[in-house]
Amino acid sequence: MTEAGEQMHALVERLYPLCRSITGDGVRATLEIVGEYVPLQVHEVATGTHVLDWTVPQEWNIRDAYIADTAGNRVVDFAASSLHVLGYSVPVSATMPLAELRAHLHTLPDHPAWVPYRTSYYTPEWGFCLAQETLDAMPDGEYEVRIDSTLADGHLTYAEHVVPGQVPDEVIVSCHVCHPSLANDNLAGIAVATFLARALAETTPYYTYRFIFAPGTIGAITWLARNAERIERVKHGLVLACAGDRGQLTYKQSRRGDAEIDRVMRHVLAASERPHHVAEFTPYGYDERQFCSPGFDLGVGSLARTPYAGYPEYHTSADNLDFVSPEAMADTLAVCREASAVLDRNRRYLNLSPYGEPQLGRRGLYDALGGRSDTKQAQMAMLWVLNLSDGEHSLLDVAERSGLPFSAVAAAADALLGAGLIKA
């Protein structure tokens, strides 16, 4: 996983400088880079399109922005960081005194060296984000203010990547692509999703996996509005965010709380003995709240390390390339792969010899266990699978009730299936 971790960090580093928003060329450039790793189907949805209770907004693009002093020195420069401009700022070209300019400046007084991330998506406004120490060093006087941006009819852009499965039922994996230079939120999630897609493409998964790379909130709402006919196929889902910091893993359950993805994630995290936290659903956070809105009520949870707004660096310039680590992203990816393995293998079986315990030795099943270091565990797994294969209990039920690893239970089911003692 170390190599994958390094590759994911390299992807984050490539994406980091781009100025992303809920629409615009920054999103397209991001998807173009992701498309070098996995093929993407890119969708463009026109401004004014009604999507559920929302409307696709005008497209925002920016070329340059700065605050310059009377000597022409750029005190604040968009070229240095895409965080320096209030997201969706309308164009402005003016000269004004600092006293007037202050109303358009955003800082973090408690962290004077950090630059905040701020937006104004649906209200025409303009502004700059800067370090408090930079503002403190600005003398009174006149400043040239320029934001070379456009806000015009265009498109909202999102993309999908599909890993075909053995069945058309789907697992959706979603990440948001709308934040500018924030390495943990959201680039680490993009990287983990991309490399999970690559890993699954090397297998033949049971479910079809659909990866959604979309702007937060409006992007997920747009996807839901445009995929009404596919919703019933979505059996499980996971939203990835804040996937690269060094904190412990956090799984936020779906609205249902007992969806299969919830049980799988709880089992995988507990069985791995990783430090972790399982959180109850709340209608606040990332796009799990769209997939879990009551009209859809999909079994979609969210996987993060330190969760939404749970670390001081959140939505600031301190969420940088040093804040995320290859090891943390590799660990997040490993958990996703472990969860997908359980989802794909979790079945209900029917014992074809339910009256009394079938003779395993006659079928060579005991001989197959001979000499194994985990003979006792494998034997118990067979007995548990036989006992609970009544068409009502899944392999995950068996693992939870027996306390055995899911992998041992699945291996036992394979052996019993091969011996003709159970059927799917």
Side-chain angles (χ1 to χ4, degrees), residues 310-333:
Y311 51 98
E313 298 85 354
Y314 178 78
H315 278 192
T316 77
S317 58
D319 184 354
N320 55 32
L321 295 173
D322 293 331
F323 187 67
V324 297
S325 76
E327 294 78 13
M329 284 187 281
D331 187 49
T332 307
L333 175 62

Side-chain angles (χ1 to χ4, degrees), residues 109-276:
D110 291 340
H111 297 282
W114 297 357
V115 177
Y117 165 56
R118 299 287 185 268
T119 63
S120 182
Y121 291 145
Y122 300 103
T123 302
E125 185 57 89
W126 64 268
F128 288 86
C129 299
L130 65 159
Q132 181 65 46
E133 60 188 21
T134 300
L135 178 58
D136 291 343
M138 292 171 63
D140 289 335
E142 297 288 310
Y143 288 88
E144 180 189 359
V145 179
R146 179 164 174 77
I147 298 178
D148 182 12
S149 64
T150 55
L151 194 59
D153 288 354
H155 296 83
L156 177 145
T157 309
Y158 71 92
E160 296 175 287
H161 171 78
V162 176
V163 179
Q166 300 170 39
V167 297
D169 290 342
E170 294 187 356
V171 179
I172 58 172
V173 180
S174 173
C175 58
H176 57 292
V177 296
C178 54
H179 287 12
S181 299
L182 300 174
N184 197 42
D185 172 25
N186 57 340
L187 298 180
I190 295 173
V192 171
T194 300
F195 277 76
L196 177 60
R198 287 174 57 141
L200 290 172
E202 296 174 357
T203 68
T204 306
Y206 177 74
Y207 290 106
T208 294
Y209 281 76
R210 183 175 300 274
F211 291 81
I212 304 169
F213 300 86
T217 305
I218 185 65
I221 286 171
T222 299
W223 186 88
L224 287 163
R226 288 165 56 87
N227 288 272
E229 78 290 345
R230 181 176 286 119
I231 297 302
E232 65 180 16
R233 295 188 206 166
V234 177
K235 305 304 178 185
H236 321 286
L238 196 60
V239 172
L240 293 173
C242 301
D245 68 83
R246 293 167 177 82
Q248 69 176 11
L249 283 158
T250 299
Y251 176 69
K252 175 182 172 182
Q253 298 185 116
S254 73
R255 178 178 181 267
R256 301 178 194 173
D258 62 349
E260 188 171 342
I261 186 65
D262 300 325
R263 296 181 59 211
V264 167
M265 291 303 303
R266 291 196 300 261
H267 177 80
V268 165
L269 289 168
S272 73
E273 298 185 347
R274 290 175 172 90
H276 69 277

